């Protein structure tokens, strides 16, 4: 036995929450993107664990998809960061406040 | 029969719809022809119904209007001699007045609105005449009230005329409240609002309930018929076009009150107290209005007060228990009073809207036709023997005299006094307008078109002859009307008083009327007698009689004025300071609340992400909690 | 405690620790490097859990491509400097994180199947590939479309100059 399913889920949950905290707490756009990456990765861990637990390959297949989404998201996200950095000379999320009510 | 009755009602309604929808598009001539044709068709049908339904009483169901559980309101027609006679009179008089209106309104650009209201009025009046259900009757009742309002204020751009319409509307509403309560009571007592059912079961009522119903009906009739204490609207209603005054405020609508009491006579007759009240209202109003008519200077106002006074006679006759006397009086009054009004309309138009009788005089020379017509009307109004008005008034007086209740002796004396006054003001009017030396204000008399004088001749004929319907057998007459109305519940064919008294009454009546004519001749006649100087147009218009015994100002200062003050207080204090400020203050709460919430929308990504996270955690915690609570 | 279990625990600790380090670093380059470390550990974990293909992909895509992309951007744009750190901004997210850890833990431990053990097994790359393209060929095509769209979007954003904030404010 490698681990119990519970332990895999706890690991995955911890990493996910760390990513969420990162996305919510950091003000740097790049760090927010990093937080999102961490969260996606954590979901991957849970899926791989579940794939082993039920001996079904679909979990691993979904990790492939997640990786593809992450790649797409990062490429567009970073392009956006570059784009906005050109405009505002800042990568601080708080300097974008046109939506303020 | 059903088709004929339906046509009587529907033709004026279709006419009104035609005027409302197409009247503006159609040019003047087709619109006028359509209006007159609708009424003429209705008259022909009414005549056919009158002949075919001779002395019959029946109910015809058209459609169920409202049916909730046992509360059924059907648009039924209750046909009896009374309603057929009323319908005949209404369609006849209104037909003639429509023709007259074509001439009278020949220069008014708003002819389609005028004829629309007029046709609608005839429809509503016919609904009153035929309705079997009191609620259905109430529709007509309100319909005539609305048309009256709309036509009094027909020239609405004139502030005074528009407010006269409002006044009439509001004052008649006071009466309608009574009618509304009466309808409720009817339903509670009889579980039905059908007049046939009510009349058939009236005997089950307790004395107190019968009195209450009688008084409520009297109340509603008082509003519509402008009796005391609600007289004040009718003189002001003269602001409308003269044909309207003739049709609505003399011949038909104002008699609706009397007609209602006749229709529900079995209920009213149950209570001697209610009957006495009806008679008392009638005689007091007759005297009051006759006195007021003496003081008026506007030709139409004299006629308006005269109408009130004559309606008082109808109430008196009804209170004395004589339906056919009242109905006969109603019919002949409709003829001679509309005749007088229409003549007055001719005079006023000929003199360029001049209504002051002291500024008239000598008009006989200019308009001989109208002179003779007016004379016929005045003779009928003054009840000079042997013409129609006399016979009807004689029947009323005999009915009052024949009533066993001692208080009716007092009413009898009052009625005699009113007879004298009626004759006096009728001929005062006649002499002032036509026979006095011509006032210098009279010049440039416009010719009156033939279409205006033409319809007056049949009216005059009927005014002079209608009384023969009531010709008592004592005088060799057939008493045709009382016998025709015999089948109507509560009607009496013969008044049981001795022949000697009957003759005595007639003699006294005739003598009083003639004396009054002589007195009028002395005071206002064409030649100066006994050094009496006739009145002058330059005299200031004031005095107790001119102000109708100050009744209107009494209402103004004791009802309208306190009401106005109260309304002002409510407006400025309760509404502006209380309600308005309260609403404004409470409205101000929301911007403040919103300002409190506004900090959520910082426009910052981190806030939104934080909120997203918070939502996720809330879901998770909620899931845990529900899991542990076993929900 | 078996050796494999020991490895699992070591990797778990390594992942959590390096992730925690990554998210708290003031210097972005450091953060990304810690993250790369975390991804390497994750790749090892994937191998442990019987997914060698994913382990390779994790290293190639995450640790390789994505993180290198991050590093490029950081180096070219801001050179790793993020300015002063405000400690207060951590309070609210940390509280939320704590709350979610507690409730998720409670839920996990109350599950009766939580103690199911994971027996070692391996999905060989060949069988995994066959399974993937047997059953999921259409989603794979759709995902490739998504990547293509992302490529176009990134290109557009990268070549387009855009307006400055000052310009936008003037327009408003």
């Amino acid at each position: 036995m490698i681990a119990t399913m519970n332990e895999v889920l706890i690991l995955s949950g911890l990493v996910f929450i760390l990513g969420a905290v990162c996305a919510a707490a950091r003000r740097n756009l790049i760090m927010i993107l990093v937080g999102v990456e961490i969260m996606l990765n954590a979901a991957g861990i849970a899926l791989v664990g579940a794939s082993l637990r039920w001996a079904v390959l679909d979990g691993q297949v979904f990790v492939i998809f997640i990786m593809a989404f992450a790649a797409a998201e990062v490429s567009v996200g970073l392009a956006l960061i570059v784009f906005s950095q050109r405009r505002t000379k800042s990568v601080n999320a708080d300097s974008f406040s046109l939506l303020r009510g | 029969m059903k088709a004929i009755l339906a046509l009587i009602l529907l033709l004026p309604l279709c006419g009104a719809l035609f005027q409302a929808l197409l009247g503006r598009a159609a040019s003047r001539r087709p619109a006028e022809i359509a209006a007159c044709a609708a009424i003429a068709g209705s008259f022909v049908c009414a005549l056919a119904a009158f002949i075919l339904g001779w002395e019959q009483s029946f109910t015809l169901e058209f459609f169920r209007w409202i049916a909730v559980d046992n509360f059924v309101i059907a648009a039924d027609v209750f046909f009896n001699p009374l309603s057929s006679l009323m319908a005949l009179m209404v369609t006849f008089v209104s037909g003639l007045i429509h023709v007259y209106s074509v001439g009278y309104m020949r220069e008014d650009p708003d002819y389609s609105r005028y004829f629309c209201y007029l046709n609608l009025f005839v429809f509503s009046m016919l609904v009153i005449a035929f309705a079997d259900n009191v609620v259905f009757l109430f529709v007509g009742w309100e319909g005539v009230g609305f048309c009256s309002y709309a036509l009094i204020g027909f020239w609405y751009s004139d502030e005074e005329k528009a407010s006269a319409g409002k006044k009439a509307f509001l004052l008649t509403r006071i009466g309608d409240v009574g009618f509304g309560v009466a309808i409720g009571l009817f339903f509670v007592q009889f579980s039905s609002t059908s007049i046939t059912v009510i009349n058939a079961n009236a005997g089950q009522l307790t004395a107190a309930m019968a009195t209450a119903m009688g008084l409520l009906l009297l109340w509603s009739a008082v509003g519509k018929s402008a009796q005391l204490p609600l007289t004040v609207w009718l003189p002001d209603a003269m602001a409308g076009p003269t044909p309207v005054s003739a049709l609505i405020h003399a011949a038909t609508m104002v008699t609706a009150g009397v007609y209602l009491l006749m229709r529900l006579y079995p209920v009213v007759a149950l209570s001697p107290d209610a009957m006495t009240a009806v008679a008392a209202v009638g005689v007091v109003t007759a005297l009051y209005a006759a006195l007021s008519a003496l003081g008026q200077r506007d030709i139409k106002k004299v006629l308006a007060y005269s109408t009130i006074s004559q309606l008082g006679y109808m109430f008196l006759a009804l209170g004395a228990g004589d339906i056919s006397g009242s109905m006969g009086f109603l019919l002949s009054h409709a003829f001679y009073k509309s005749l007088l009004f229409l003549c007055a309309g001719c005079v006023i138009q000929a003199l360029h809207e001049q209504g002051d009788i002291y500024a008239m005089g000598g008009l006989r020379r200019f308009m001989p036709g109208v002179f003779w017509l007016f004379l016929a009307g005045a003779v009928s109004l003054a009840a000079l023997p042997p013409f129609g008005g006399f016979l009807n008034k004689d029947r009323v007086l005999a009915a009052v005299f024949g009533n066993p209740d001692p208080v009716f002796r007092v009413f009898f004396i009052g009625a005699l006094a009113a007879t004298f006054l009626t004759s006096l003001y009728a001929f005062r009017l006649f002499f002032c307008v036509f026979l006095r030396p011509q006032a210098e204000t009279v010049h440039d008399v416009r010719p009156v078109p033939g279409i205006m004088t033409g319809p007056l001749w049949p009216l005059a004929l009927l005014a002079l002859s209608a009384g023969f319907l009531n010709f008592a057998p004592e005088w060799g007459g057939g008493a045709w009307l009382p016998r025709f109305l015999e089948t109507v519940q509560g009607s009496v064919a013969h008044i049981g008083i001795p022949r000697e008294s009957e003759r005595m009454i007639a003699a006294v009546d005739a003598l009083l009327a003639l004396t009054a004519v002589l007195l009028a001749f002395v005071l206002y006649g064409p030649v100066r007698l006994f050094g009496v100087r006739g009145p002058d147009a330059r005299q200031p218009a004031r005095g107790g009689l001119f102000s109708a015994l100050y009744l209107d100002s009494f209402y103004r200062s004791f009802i309208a004025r306190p009401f106005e003050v109260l309304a002002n207080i409510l407006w400025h204090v309760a509404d502006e300071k209380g309600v308005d400020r309260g609403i404004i203050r409470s409205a101000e709460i929301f911007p403040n609340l919103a300002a409190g919430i506004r900090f959520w929308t910082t426009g910052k990504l981190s806030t939104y992400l934080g909120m997203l996270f918070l939502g996720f955690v809330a879901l998770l915690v909620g899931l845990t909690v529900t899991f542990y609570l076993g929900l | 405690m078996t050796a494999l279990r020991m490895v699992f625990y070591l990797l778990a600790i390594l992942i959590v620790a390096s992730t925690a380090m990554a998210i708290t670093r003031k210097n972005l380059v450091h953060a990304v490097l810690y993250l790369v470390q975390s991804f390497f550990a994750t790749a090892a974990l994937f191998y442990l859990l019987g997914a060698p293909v994913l382990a390779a992909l994790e290293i190639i895509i995450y640790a390789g491509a994505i993180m290198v992309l991050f590093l490029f951007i950081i180096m070219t744009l801001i050179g790793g400097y993020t300015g002063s750190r405000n400690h207060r901004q951590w309070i609210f997210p940390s509280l939320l994180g704590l709350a979610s850890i507690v409730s998720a833990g409670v839920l996990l431990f109350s599950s009766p199947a939580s103690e199911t053990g994971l027996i070692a097994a391996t999905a060989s790359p060949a069988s995994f590939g066959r399974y993937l393209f047997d059953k999921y060929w259409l989603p794979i095509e759709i995902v490739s479309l998504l990547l293509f769209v992302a490529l176009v979007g990134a290109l557009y954003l990268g070549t387009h100059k855009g307006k400055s904030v000052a310009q936008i404010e003037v327009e408003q």
Side-chain angles (χ1 to χ4, degrees), chain A residues 56-99:
Chain A
V56 180
L57 279 176
D58 299 84
Q60 296 189 11
V61 172
F62 273 90
V63 178
I64 296 257
F65 291 146
I66 287 175
M67 282 175 182
F69 295 147
E73 176 240 318
V74 161
S75 60
V76 178
L78 284 175
L80 275 171
I81 288 170
V82 172
F83 184 72
S84 51
Q85 204 271 345
R86 264 196 224 138
R87 273 190 11 198
T88 61
K89 308 291 171 219
S90 164
V91 285
N92 191 328
D94 288 352
S95 52
F96 306 97
S97 55
L98 281 177
L99 284 176

Side-chain angles (χ1 to χ4, degrees), chain B residues 286-294 309 313 393 414-428 512-513 516:
Chain B
L287 264 174
Y288 159 78
L291 269 175
S292 305
L294 266 182
S309 171
Y313 272 109
K393 197 163 267 183
L416 280 180
T419 304
F420 179 77
L421 290 171
T422 306
S423 183
L424 187 59
Y425 70 69
F427 276 90
R428 166 178 176 264
L512 278 172

Side-chain angles (χ1 to χ4, degrees), chain C residues 4 7 41 56 62 93 113 119 121 124 138 141 148:
Chain C
L4 285 179
V7 174
Y62 265 115
I119 311 300
S124 72
L138 187 61
E141 290 305 320
F148 176 70

Side-chain angles (χ1 to χ4, degrees), chain B residues 110 253 307 391 413 419 427 580 616-617:
Chain B
D110 240 351
M253 185 190 88
T307 304
L391 293 164
I413 292 167
T419 304
F427 276 90
D580 284 7
F616 162 74
V617 173

Side-chain angles (χ1 to χ4, degrees), chain B residues 312-389:
Chain B
Y313 272 109
M314 294 172 211
F315 274 71
L316 179 60
L318 199 77
D322 186 13
I323 288 189
S324 47
S326 190
M327 189 63 191
F329 202 94
L330 191 156
L331 288 176
S332 67
H333 172 257
F335 297 132
Y336 66 69
K337 191 50 65 66
S338 51
L339 172 65
L340 285 171
F341 263 115
L342 297 180
C343 288
C346 293
V347 169
I348 291 172
Q349 233 180 29
L351 294 180
H352 303 276
E353 307 302 318
Q354 170 64 268
D356 188 352
I357 54 172
Y358 289 172
M360 299 176 184
L363 286 183
R364 182 188 174 180
R365 211 152 51 81
F366 296 102
M367 28 186 20
V370 177
F371 167 76
W372 288 112
L373 290 165
F374 200 93
L375 181 61
V379 161
S380 307
L381 172 62
L384 292 186
F387 298 110

Side-chain angles (χ1 to χ4, degrees), chain A residues 20 23 27 94 96-97 100-101, chain B residues 598 601-604 606 609 613:
Chain A
R27 293 288 182 269
D94 288 352
F96 306 97
S97 55
R100 186 176 55 231
Chain B
R598 241 178 82 174
T601 48
T602 54
K604 289 177 183 172
S606 48
L609 279 172
F613 196 14

Side-chain angles (χ1 to χ4, degrees), chain B residues 268-333:
Chain B
V268 185
L270 271 182
S271 156
D273 293 340
M275 291 292 274
T276 313
V278 171
V281 164
V283 73
V284 173
T285 312
L287 264 174
Y288 159 78
L291 269 175
S292 305
L294 266 182
Q296 299 306 310
R297 282 177 53 171
D298 188 280
I299 183 168
K300 284 177 77 182
K301 290 233 163 135
V302 177
L303 293 174
Y305 278 107
S306 157
T307 304
I308 298 172
S309 171
Q310 303 299 300
L311 286 164
Y313 272 109
M314 294 172 211
F315 274 71
L316 179 60
L318 199 77
D322 186 13
I323 288 189
S324 47
S326 190
M327 189 63 191
F329 202 94
L330 191 156
L331 288 176
S332 67
H333 172 257

